[in-house]
Amino acid sequence: MATVDTSIPAKPTGAAAKLAESHSAEHPLKLYGGWFCPFVQRAWIVLAEKHIPHQYVEINPYRKAAEFLALNPRGLVPTLAVPTDAKGKHPKPLYESAVICEFLDEAFADETKFGPRLLPDDVYERARCRLWIDHIASRIVPAFYRFIQHTPDKPYTIEDVRNEFHGHLKTLAKEMDPSGPWFLGDRFSLVDIMLAPWAKRLFLIDHYKPGGVGIPVAGQRGDDEEVWSRWQKWFDAITERETVKQTWSDDEQYIGAYQRYADDTTSSEVGKATRQGKKLP
């Protein structure tokens, strides 16, 4: 989860603005989010994938609603308000994007209404998915922030963080079903959703960091040709997934919002944890 940064634009734009508007009517199930937050985008994608009726509430970074702070006094997004009665008068909060995503998949499990489940039915395969979701959360996402927050005064080079990031991506790509395009082959799952927001944000590293993401081009990958080809197949598919695009604001919004990460001056909880070498919140 991320603390709302009060210096960024208050509303989504582009496709995300249209999606937010279409879910602005009062509803007992509410997602409190921020357009800029990749952890929010995870939950938003699940809601869109499963066509779950809900209300999306954009948190104004300059003035947080009392009802939101009553649910989550720390002001963290995403927060899901789960109704405990038909009128939604006594909602219970859920935090943590991965927890929210699994809850939504389990609570709206009727495939005739909400589409395919996002984790396999087989108990081993479901556990294996969670293993690689943990790899994304504990390896890839922290490395992304070390990469984008790298500055020349750091005790490690940008090549160090680039190589670390590449290593974690390749480890995941080697575990992907070879047929693709998704982690489980032709089945879209929470593994794909957990990484989707950062895949969309890779262009920010290209924009801000010398050498960019730096994945070798086809034909120049040496022994890694197969693994990078598999990564590219997944990357192309996830960035074109309709629900990923629906939950995305205009690129320019992110370029502005992530300047503070590129300069390593962000005051977000994620940014501060990265700067201090601590585990992400």
Side-chain angles (χ1 to χ4, degrees):
M1 291 188 292
T3 296
V4 174
D5 190 327
T6 59
S7 63
I8 63 176
K11 295 180 180 180
T13 59
K18 294 179 182 178
L19 184 63
E21 176 61 28
S22 70
H23 289 278
S24 61
E26 183 67 28
H27 193 280
L29 181 68
K30 295 178 172 62
L31 177 66
Y32 293 89
W35 66 265
F36 50 87
C37 179
F39 299 95
V40 169
Q41 193 179 10
R42 283 174 164 178
W44 213 2
I45 290 170
V46 173
L47 287 165
E49 282 287 336
K50 297 178 75 70
H51 303 285
I52 297 171
H54 68 282
Q55 180 182 1
Y56 178 80
V57 183
E58 181 75 22
I59 295 303
N60 187 327
Y62 304 101
R63 183 165 51 89
K64 300 170 191 174
E67 66 179 32
F68 170 65
L69 291 175
L71 281 169
N72 190 336
R74 293 181 63 196
L76 300 176
V77 292
T79 293
L80 189 70
V82 181
T84 57
D85 57 66
K87 295 182 179 180
K89 290 184 176 181
H90 304 285
K92 292 182 178 179
L94 282 178
Y95 324 122
E96 303 296 343
S97 60
V99 172
I100 290 172
C101 290
E102 282 210 38
F103 167 81
L104 291 170
D105 192 41
E106 293 176 4
F108 298 89
D110 186 342
E111 294 193 349
T112 64
K113 294 181 179 179
F114 304 110
R117 294 291 300 276
L118 295 172
L119 283 176
D121 293 329
D122 180 81
V123 65
Y124 172 78
E125 287 301 321
R126 191 161 63 247
R128 179 174 173 269
C129 283
R130 291 187 176 119
L131 181 69
W132 291 101
I133 286 171
D134 180 73
H135 175 80
I136 292 166
S138 63
R139 300 289 189 272
I140 296 178
V141 172
F144 171 90
Y145 288 105
R146 284 193 290 273
F147 200 166
I148 200 165
Q149 288 180 236
H150 181 269
T151 53
D153 61 325
K154 294 288 192 294
Y156 46 85
T157 69
I158 196 164
E159 280 302 319
D160 291 336
V161 291
R162 182 179 288 111
N163 290 336
E164 176 196 15
F165 189 59
H166 285 187
H168 296 322
L169 294 183
K170 289 190 291 183
T171 297
L172 178 68
K174 289 174 183 176
E175 294 295 324
M176 293 177 177
D177 184 288
S179 63
W182 311 117
F183 180 82
L184 294 176
D186 61 359
R187 179 173 183 169
F188 191 65
S189 75
L190 282 183
V191 183
D192 306 301
I193 292 171
M194 290 300 102
L195 187 53
W198 287 273
K200 282 290 289 182
R201 286 162 174 77
L202 286 185
F203 85 99
L204 295 165
I205 292 177
D206 288 332
H207 181 84
Y208 279 118
K209 298 300 162 180
V213 177
I215 293 174
V217 299
Q220 299 180 20
R221 296 164 174 168
D223 294 340
D224 290 330
E225 188 69 44
E226 183 177 349
V227 67
W228 280 130
S229 294
R230 182 63 185 90
W231 163 261
Q232 192 67 49
K233 178 185 286 189
W234 179 86
F235 177 83
D236 291 344
I238 199 66
T239 52
E240 287 301 314
R241 184 80 176 185
E242 188 61 28
T243 55
V244 175
K245 295 193 293 184
Q246 286 175 338
T247 55
W248 187 252
S249 287
D250 296 327
D251 285 357
E252 291 76 13
Q253 287 256 108
Y254 298 96
I255 290 172
Y258 279 80
Q259 175 75 58
R260 55 188 55 78
Y261 284 90
D263 295 340
D264 197 21
T265 58
T266 178
S267 60
S268 76
E269 294 296 322
V270 167
K272 288 189 291 186
T274 300
R275 192 178 304 123
Q276 296 165 7
K278 296 181 178 179
K279 183 179 179 180
L280 298 190

